């Protein structure tokens, strides 16, 4: 009953098999044929033949490099309160950009509203030398509360961002989960909705450790390339990152893994909703669930072997986060619900 996080789950066997089938020696630093193949695969999937694709080993690196490419040191990067770049990445965006400022905004159900972003931008007078210059918008899909931005919602936010010339970034650590939940294409969920740079997650979806920074604006590609190298994230044996990504993208495996995780979460949410003293905090739209329950029930579940995070406590109740993975079984879900019941 492991519901702590999808980045703690096992590596998919198809990915392990790809790594075991060592291709032998190849040119380093991404000059190998597997990297070229993966670049072509991602360009095809996203219907973006000029997209730059840069593989890195962590979501923090992907987000920080993407935002540094979009924002100068004096820039303001707008994101929702509790966004991963604000709460969980140790000021990496500020560090990689050389000093950009994160401006956090409130939002219901884990999402920003266009009017909230517009009001925040209005506080920054054009040309004001005494304040940060609005530079970028960063959204997360799936959100930190487990909810979903659909393409039209992303497009509405990026349209507001464009009124002030902001670049737009999407933290897609769980991009595959968002795609299958929204029944959208990769292009619809990204550049067609106004996204300039995507952090395409892999580690939370069955890979050992690889993410892709996908730059849809060719004018920004060279800056990302040099920033990745300067930051120490251009791996020498780059082909082993590419082998993971190729295995995941081949034959739609990445979407099948995400679909399984989402289905497990839907089963879990249904079981929790049937319990009399458990309340779902937000709709379970992908593979994350937040639930409010008595602390005694949380203790009972842990005593039965369940692993999950407590997010906050109030009185004798606790808000917990439950994350389903590509390999979460029905038996795990049912055992967890039974332990609470």
């Amino acid at each position: 009953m492991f519901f702590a996080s999808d980045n703690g789950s096992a590596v998919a066997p198809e990915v392990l098999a790809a790594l075991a089938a060592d291709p032998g020696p190849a040119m380093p630093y991404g000059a190998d044929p597997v990297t070229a193949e993966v670049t072509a695969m991602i360009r095809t999937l996203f219907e973006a033949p000029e997209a730059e694709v840069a593989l890195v080993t962590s979501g923090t690196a992907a987000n920080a490099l993407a935002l540094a490419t979009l924002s100068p040191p004096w820039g303001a990067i707008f994101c929702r309160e509790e966004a991963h770049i604000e709460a969980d990445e140790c000021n990496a965006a500020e560090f990689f950009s050389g000093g950009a400022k994160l401006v956090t905004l409130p939002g219901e159900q884990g999402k920003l509203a266009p009017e909230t972003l517009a009001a925040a931008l209005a506080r920054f007078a054009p040309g004001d030398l005494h304040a940060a210059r609005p530079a970028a918008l960063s959204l997360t899909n799936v959100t930190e509360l487990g909810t979903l931005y659909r393409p039209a919602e992303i497009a509405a936010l990026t349209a507001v961002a464009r009124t002030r010339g902001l670049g737009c970034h999407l933290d897609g650590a769980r991009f595959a989960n968002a795609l299958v939940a929204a029944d959208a294409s990769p292009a619809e969920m990204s550049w067609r909705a106004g996204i300039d740079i995507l952090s395409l997650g892999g580690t939370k979806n069955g890979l050992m450790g690889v993410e892709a920074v996908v730059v849809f604006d060719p004018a920004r590609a060279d800056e990302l390339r040099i920033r990745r190298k300067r930051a120490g994230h251009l791996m020498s044996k780059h082909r082993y990152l590419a082998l993971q990504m190729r295995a995941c993208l081949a034959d739609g495996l990445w979407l099948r893994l995400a679909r399984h995780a989402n289905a497990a979460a839907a089963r879990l949410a249904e079981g929790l909703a049937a319990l009399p003293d458990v309340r779902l905090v937000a709709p379970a739209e992908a593979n994350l669930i937040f639930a409010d329950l008595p602390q005694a029930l949380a203790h009972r579940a842990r005593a039965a072997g369940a692993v999950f995070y407590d997010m906050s406590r109030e009185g004798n109740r606790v808000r917990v986060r439950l994350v389903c993975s590509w390999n979460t079984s029905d038996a795990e879900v049912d055992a967890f619900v039974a332990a609470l019941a």
Side-chain angles (χ1 to χ4, degrees):
M1 294 185 288
F2 187 86
F3 299 104
S5 182
D6 38 9
N7 63 9
S9 63
V11 179
E14 295 88 344
V15 176
L16 286 174
L19 288 169
D22 193 323
M27 294 301 291
Y29 303 112
D32 60 277
V34 183
T35 296
E37 184 179 351
V38 166
T39 298
M41 292 172 76
I42 290 176
R43 286 172 172 171
T44 299
L45 281 170
F46 282 86
E47 305 169 60
E50 296 185 52
E52 176 74 8
V53 178
L55 301 183
V56 294
T57 58
S58 75
T60 296
N63 288 338
L65 286 167
L67 290 168
T69 302
L70 290 174
S71 178
W74 52 86
I77 300 167
F78 297 84
C79 62
R80 189 190 170 276
E81 293 171 342
E82 301 174 355
H84 206 269
I85 61 171
E86 191 277 330
D88 296 286
E89 296 185 355
C90 196
N91 294 23
E94 295 94 325
F95 175 71
F96 276 55
S97 65
K101 175 185 178 68
L102 293 185
V103 179
T104 59
L105 305 174
E108 296 296 322
Q109 300 294 322
K111 297 190 287 187
L112 285 178
E115 54 269 25
T116 302
L117 177 60
L121 289 170
R123 298 198 299 267
F124 290 78
D128 184 358
L129 292 177
H130 303 280
R133 297 289 176 89
L137 168 67
S138 182
L139 304 174
T140 308
N141 210 15
V142 176
T143 76
E144 286 79 11
L145 203 59
T147 52
L148 186 67
Y149 282 111
R150 285 166 174 78
E153 295 174 290
I154 297 173
L157 284 158
T158 60
V160 174
R162 293 284 184 253
T163 65
R164 294 292 295 272
L166 274 63
C168 297
H169 164 252
L170 184 65
D171 178 354
R174 297 183 175 93
F175 188 77
N177 303 90
L179 280 185
V180 298
D183 193 23
S185 74
E188 289 168 339
M189 192 69 88
S190 57
W191 64 267
R192 284 185 183 155
I195 296 300
D196 297 299
I197 302 183
L198 166 71
S199 299
L200 175 60
T203 308
K204 289 182 168 67
N205 195 32
L207 276 66
M208 181 175 289
V210 61
E211 322 282 312
V213 185
V214 185
V215 183
F216 300 107
D217 180 1
R220 302 183 189 272
D222 190 58
E223 181 173 352
L224 176 68
R225 284 194 286 265
I226 197 67
R227 282 186 177 277
R228 179 176 60 156
K229 175 61 180 176
R230 185 173 182 265
H233 283 283
L234 178 59
M235 303 299 291
S236 176
K237 295 186 178 180
H238 193 280
R239 64 190 180 278
Y240 291 100
L241 303 185
L243 283 168
Q244 296 177 60
M245 188 63 77
R246 183 176 69 176
C248 193
L249 297 178
D251 301 320
L253 176 64
W254 66 308
L255 299 179
R256 293 198 299 275
L257 296 179
R259 194 171 286 113
H260 177 96
N262 287 9
R267 183 184 184 96
L268 179 56
E270 183 179 2
L272 294 174
L275 299 178
D277 208 12
V278 176
R279 182 179 65 86
L280 297 182
V281 175
E285 297 186 285
N287 68 318
L288 281 77
I289 296 173
F290 288 78
D292 177 83
L293 65 157
Q295 289 194 47
L297 291 191
H299 293 324
R300 184 189 302 171
R302 287 194 170 97
V307 181
F308 55 91
Y309 284 120
D310 292 349
M311 305 306 292
S312 62
R313 293 184 177 86
E314 184 173 348
N316 67 348
R317 298 187 69 83
V318 59
R319 176 178 292 191
V320 302
R321 189 188 78 158
L322 306 164
V323 187
C324 292
S325 303
W326 68 269
N327 60 347
T328 300
S329 68
D330 288 350
E332 284 181 275
V333 170
D334 295 345
F336 182 78
V337 173
L340 294 181

